[in-house]
Structures are given as structure tokens and as C-alpha cells.
Amino acid sequence: VEIVGTPRPVLPELETGLYRLAQESLSNVRRHAEASHVLIRLTYGEERLELLVQDDGIGFDVPDNPGEMLATGRLGLIGIHERARLFGGRAAIRSTPQRGTTVEVVIPLDATFRAS
């Protein structure tokens, strides 16, 4: 686990959302990846938070369209995309067979999500 930047308060809803995003990503690693190592990095930027979960597992072919994930039964990955969008952010899932998977979530930190 790595924390990059200076941690600062965010609203509890965003904190919980980031926790759930990491939890779903780790759950996928545990169930599918056959990984030896997993990196979790939370980066506090000036205008955004970035969550990265990267494994060295078996990887898979990522569909071009997140909607295709529904047809292939990858509901957890759809949930990652949807949860990121709830906070005005985006998720990117990259994977290569035999080279692992990376889930990257970027959430903009506008006034809505900053705690006072």
C-alpha cells in the first residue's frame, strides 16, 4: 500500500466509495487473478484523487466497451465503472493475459467532495 501526496479530509461518502472501489478490485484479484503481488496506491493530487490497484496475475482480455462486460458476466468491473461515475470520476481497467491487471480510478476533488 502506498499513499502519495498529502492526505487531506474528504467527505465520508467519497471515503466510503473509495474503500468500496478498492474492496471490489481486491476481491477480483483474490477470485480470479492468481496473483503473487498487489499494489494499492492512493494519490492525493491538487484537484483529484487517484486510486490504483495493480496485480501481477494471469490477466484477461478487457472488452472495448464497459457494456460488453455485462454480457460476459463481469458485474464487479461494471460496478467499479459505475461507482467512479457516481463521484464524477472515471475508471480504467487495463489487462494483458499473463501480465496482470490494473484498475485506475480518478475522482475530481471539487468543492462537493472536500471536507471542511
Side-chain angles (χ1 to χ4, degrees), residues 60-104:
F60 65 100
D61 290 317
V62 180
D64 293 332
N65 179 338
E68 292 176 37
M69 292 181 199
L70 184 60
T72 59
R74 294 187 168 110
L75 300 178
L77 297 178
I78 291 172
I80 289 170
H81 282 281
E82 290 302 314
R83 192 176 299 272
R85 271 191 283 243
L86 283 173
F87 295 104
R90 63 174 174 75
I93 299 167
R94 296 181 299 280
S95 188
T96 303
Q98 306 311 315
R99 294 194 180 202
T101 301
T102 300
V103 174
E104 182 180 25

Side-chain angles (χ1 to χ4, degrees), residues 27-41:
S27 178
N28 286 335
V29 171
R30 182 183 54 80
R31 283 185 281 153
H32 305 294
E34 299 176 26
S36 298
H37 297 91
V38 179
L39 168 67
I40 302 170
R41 179 183 302 137

Side-chain angles (χ1 to χ4, degrees), residues 1-63:
V1 176
E2 295 178 4
I3 305 293
V4 178
T6 303
R8 57 190 179 277
V10 296
L11 290 178
E13 297 86 351
L14 178 55
E15 202 170 81
T16 301
L18 287 167
Y19 173 81
R20 296 290 183 218
L21 285 159
Q23 183 181 42
E24 181 60 39
S25 297
L26 288 172
S27 178
N28 286 335
V29 171
R30 182 183 54 80
R31 283 185 281 153
H32 305 294
E34 299 176 26
S36 298
H37 297 91
V38 179
L39 168 67
I40 302 170
R41 179 183 302 137
L42 181 61
T43 302
Y44 287 84
E46 287 297 317
E47 300 296 322
R48 63 189 190 174
L49 282 174
E50 296 179 29
L51 172 67
L52 178 88
V53 179
Q54 186 174 47
D55 71 60
D56 65 353
I58 62 171
F60 65 100
D61 290 317
V62 180

